[in-house]
């Protein structure tokens, strides 16, 4: 008997392809099939089956190819993950094919044998969202362990693999024996082995980073720690949020959804208004006027490094007391950007249009956004001037300056490969340096230029800065009497920051959300960033969106992404659908990033 199958081919396109399928019975939705595509073959997933052939727009029958092989008897993902793939493709404007690439292990996409999850029993629970906001890591995680000890299948997500590993190792033995630390990457056979262990029913609890949200298990409890952390958004396309996917799974499975962290995200606070019950001690928050700082010049770089007497004195005293010190400045490299002294233009990335910073190893530039490396050009690309200089000294310029002022303790640049520090040291790094609070006894965290963190063009910069300061107060402290000082060098020592930190994140969110509402910014609307492929006609693309009723924001430099603010994702998806058909593969596809927090 002939059937006509609509098949999803994993990839960046949004449309399905239709194939003839010869079978005595129609295949189930979600089974894998091997189908011809172009001159080769691909593994796809059956989305739907009809018993009559499709008809083209002109009314004629379409010439169809035949399915070569049916690889599964039933959906290899299970109904839960299959439904999640469809929802992800629609919600995050990436298409179901790209969502399947994100969810499925590589071996599964290549057609290898995979065990499907056990048939799912009807969900008998009721979806419940609960909160656990406590800045003290030990107390908050003890609450998670208590939740796991009640039994039932559970998923616990952390934004960083180090925290996931620490939590897993600290689990009571009776819980750890039936738990699995989900692999971070899809290399080797680790994902396949973890998948099989879950499908055989050997695991009750899964702990991991955002990727663990795709584990093939029907959960009764889903816990998301540090839920406001932007690391839950995957770096590579499709840039979806694992935290949002976890909430969707909890809703569909009628599970308990426990959101935790040191403070809530914008959307969570707007929805449930959790209360801030624990505040830092006022004497541990120190604001220092940068106007009175020592100004340290850097050869070849415009601008100076500001180090206040209070920062230097407290650093020496903390190191002498046997505790480590962090100096944080969110600018890597020798300088934060490179500019032309003749015309004032800053060099930008040829891939994404972001600022290029200078690296210390010769005339090397690196994009602050996408990480692309390039060589320093001999002339300015705008005016052909030859005098190119750095501006805003970075961390590599800070290192020799710090060595001059701190003599009796190691001064180190924080790098991913840095071994665990065994003695008190001064560590220099970006905000990611805070992750080392889990391993070191840190008595002082110094923010060298608080104003620069807040001035970033991202609409969410103020919250990110506030959350990093809040995290500086608490992260890694052990015991009720533990404490550390957070020192902030700033040019604005008024009451705004003091009030927000001293009274808690409720006060911060009330003011910030009011401003976002007036400007129609997330979470009141969704901001969509559109990165176009090389060679795309920007004007024609923008006009398509404008004709559909959208206001397109274009920086006008021919490189930067387009941006659209929308209240209806469905309307934007309808306008973009023709551009994401598989026939446009040679041209490449735009990359869409949704900002909803």
């Amino acid at each position: 008997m002939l059937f006509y199958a609509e098949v999803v081919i994993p990839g960046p396109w949004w449309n399905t392809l239709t194939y003839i399928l010869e079978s005595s019975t129609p295949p189930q939705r979600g089974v894998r099939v091997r189908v011809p595509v172009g001159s080769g073959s691909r593994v796809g997933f059956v989305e739907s089956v009809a018993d009559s052939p499709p008809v083209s727009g002109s009314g004629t029958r379409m010439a169809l190819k035949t399915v070569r092989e049916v690889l599964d008897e039933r959906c290899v993902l299970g109904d839960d993950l299959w439904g999640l793939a469809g929802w992800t493709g629609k919600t995050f404007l990436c298409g179901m094919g790209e969502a399947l690439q994100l969810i499925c292990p590589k071996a599964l996409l290549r057609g290898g044998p995979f065990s499907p999850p056990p048939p799912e029993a009807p969900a008998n629970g009721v979806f419940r969202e609960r909160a656990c906001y406590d800045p003290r890591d030990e107390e908050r995680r003890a609450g998670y362990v208590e939740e796991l000890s009640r039994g039932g299948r559970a998923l616990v997500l952390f934004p960083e693999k180090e925290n996931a590993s620490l939590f897993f190792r600290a689990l009571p033995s009776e819980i750890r024996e039936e738990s699995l630390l989900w692999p971070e990457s899809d290399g080797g056979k680790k994902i396949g082995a973890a998948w099989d262990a879950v499908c055989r029913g050997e695991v009750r609890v899964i702990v991991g980073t955002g990727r663990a949200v795709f584990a093939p298990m029907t959960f009764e409890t889903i816990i998301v720690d540090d839920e406001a952390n932007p690391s839950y958004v995957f770096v590579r396309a499709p840039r979806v949020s694992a935290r949002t996917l976890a909430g969707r799974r909890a809703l569909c499975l009628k599970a308990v959804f426990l959101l935790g962290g040191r403070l809530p995200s914008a959307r969570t606070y707007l929805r449930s208004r959790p209360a801030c019950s624990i505040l830092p001690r006022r004497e541990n928050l120190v604001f220092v006027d940068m106007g009175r700082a020592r100004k340290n010049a850097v050869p070849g770089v415009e601008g100076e490094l500001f180090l206040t007497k209070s920062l230097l004195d407290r650093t020496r005293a903390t190191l002498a007391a046997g505790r480590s010190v962090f100096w944080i400045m969110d600018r890597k490299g020798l300088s934060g950007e490179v500019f032309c002294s003749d015309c004032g233009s800053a060099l930008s990335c040829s891939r994404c249009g972001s600022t290029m910073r200078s690296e210390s190893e010769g005339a090397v530039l690196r994009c602050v956004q996408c990480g692309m490396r390039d060589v320093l050009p001999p002339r300015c690309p705008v005016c052909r001037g030859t005098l190119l200089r750095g501006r805003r000294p970075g961390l590599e310029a800070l290192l020799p300056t710090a060595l001059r002022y701190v003599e009796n303790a190691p001064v180190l640049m924080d790098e991913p490969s840095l071994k665990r520090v065994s003695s008190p040291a001064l560590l220099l790094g970006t905000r990611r340096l805070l992750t080392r609070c889990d391993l070191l006894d840190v008595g002082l965290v110094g923010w060298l230029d608080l104003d620069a963190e807040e001035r970033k063009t991202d609409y969410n910069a103020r919250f990110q800065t506030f959350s990093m300061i809040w995290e500086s107060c608490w992260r890694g402290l052990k015991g009720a009497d533990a404490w550390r000082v957070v020192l902030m060098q700033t040019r604005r020592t008024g009451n705004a920051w003091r009030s927000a930190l001293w009274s808690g994140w409720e006060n911060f969110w009330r003011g910030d959300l009011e401003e976002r509402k007036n400007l129609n910014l997330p979470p009141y609307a969704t901001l969509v960033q559109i990165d176009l492929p090389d060679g795309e006609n920007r004007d024609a693309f923008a006009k398509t969106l404008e004709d559909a009723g959208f206001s397109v924001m274009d920086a006008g430099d021919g490189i930067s992404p387009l941006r659209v603010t929308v209240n209806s994702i469905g309307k934007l998806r309808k306008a973009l659908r023709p551009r994401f058909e598989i026939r446009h593969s040679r041209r490449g596809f735009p990359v869409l990033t949704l900002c909803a927090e």
Side-chain angles (χ1 to χ4, degrees), residues 200-487:
R200 289 194 300 266
E202 300 173 359
V203 177
R204 181 179 73 85
V205 177
I206 292 176
V207 179
T209 60
R211 295 282 173 179
V213 75
F214 303 126
M217 180 187 288
T218 53
F219 300 104
E220 290 148 310
T221 301
I222 296 179
I223 301 171
V224 182
D225 184 56
D226 198 6
E227 60 96 4
N229 196 309
S231 297
Y232 280 117
V233 178
F234 298 132
V235 175
R236 295 185 178 181
R239 301 196 68 232
V240 306
S241 167
R243 191 208 64 183
T244 302
L245 298 182
R248 176 66 183 182
R249 290 197 73 181
L251 180 65
C252 294
L253 295 172
K254 297 182 180 179
V256 173
F257 187 43
L258 179 58
L259 291 169
R262 299 177 189 90
L263 75 173
S265 62
R267 189 174 292 275
T268 301
Y269 182 77
L270 184 64
R271 183 176 61 249
S272 55
R273 307 280 176 170
C276 179
S277 57
I278 301 175
L279 301 174
R281 296 191 297 183
R282 293 193 176 194
E283 60 269 25
N284 291 349
L285 295 171
V286 180
F287 293 83
V288 184
D289 186 357
M290 289 178 66
R292 301 179 180 179
R294 298 181 184 181
K295 300 176 182 179
N296 299 273
V298 179
V301 180
E302 184 179 287
E304 296 162 315
L305 291 168
F306 293 84
L307 300 176
T308 60
K309 184 177 184 301
S310 179
L311 174 69
L312 296 173
D313 290 346
R314 288 175 182 269
T315 294
R316 296 186 185 109
T318 304
L319 292 170
R323 305 183 72 185
S324 291
V325 176
F326 290 173
W327 286 2
I328 296 179
M329 185 169 65
D330 233 16
R331 292 195 299 271
K332 292 183 178 180
L334 187 63
S335 65
E337 65 179 11
V338 178
F339 75 105
C340 173
S341 295
D342 293 331
C343 69
S345 300
L347 301 188
S348 58
C349 175
S350 59
R351 179 194 293 169
C352 70
S354 298
T355 302
M356 299 291 283
R357 70 169 187 261
S358 67
E359 300 281 353
S360 60
E361 61 261 21
V364 178
L365 304 178
R366 182 187 283 269
C367 176
V368 300
Q369 181 67 29
C370 69
M372 189 185 81
R373 285 181 176 239
D374 204 348
V375 297
L376 182 70
R379 294 178 178 272
C380 171
V382 176
C383 73
R384 311 304 296 169
T386 58
L387 189 56
L388 299 176
R389 290 171 53 83
R391 182 159 52 196
R392 298 187 302 128
L395 281 170
E396 291 177 16
L398 176 63
L399 180 58
T401 303
L403 285 168
R404 290 202 306 267
Y405 290 115
V406 178
E407 300 176 348
N408 297 323
V411 180
L412 307 170
M413 284 283 293
D414 182 55
E415 298 292 342
S417 60
L418 188 65
K419 301 294 184 182
R420 180 170 179 173
V421 181
S422 58
S423 59
L426 169 60
L427 269 67
L428 316 178
T430 64
R431 59 180 62 187
R432 183 166 175 76
L433 181 60
L434 291 175
T435 62
R436 297 202 178 269
C437 288
D438 299 329
L439 304 173
L440 301 173
D441 178 18
V442 182
L444 172 66
V445 175
W447 288 80
L448 271 59
D449 190 352
L450 182 64
D451 304 334
E453 308 299 323
E454 191 181 3
R455 281 198 308 267
K456 292 181 179 178
T457 55
D458 185 359
Y459 75 93
N460 208 27
R462 188 159 52 189
F463 169 67
Q464 291 302 326
T465 303
F466 179 87
S467 66
M468 291 296 102
I469 300 298
W470 193 259
E471 182 176 345
S472 302
C473 297
W474 308 97
R475 182 161 186 167
L477 292 181
K478 295 176 174 63
D481 298 328
W483 59 273
R484 77 167 54 100
V485 172
V486 179
L487 184 147

Side-chain angles (χ1 to χ4, degrees), residues 74 280 544:
R74 59 188 178 92
T544 298

Side-chain angles (χ1 to χ4, degrees), residues 22 25 54 63 129 161 176 243 280 343 376 415 441 470 482 506 585 592:
E22 298 183 23
T25 58
E129 180 176 319
K161 64 179 181 180
R176 191 171 62 251
R243 191 208 64 183
C343 69
L376 182 70
E415 298 292 342
D441 178 18
W470 193 259
E506 287 179 276
S585 296
L592 308 178

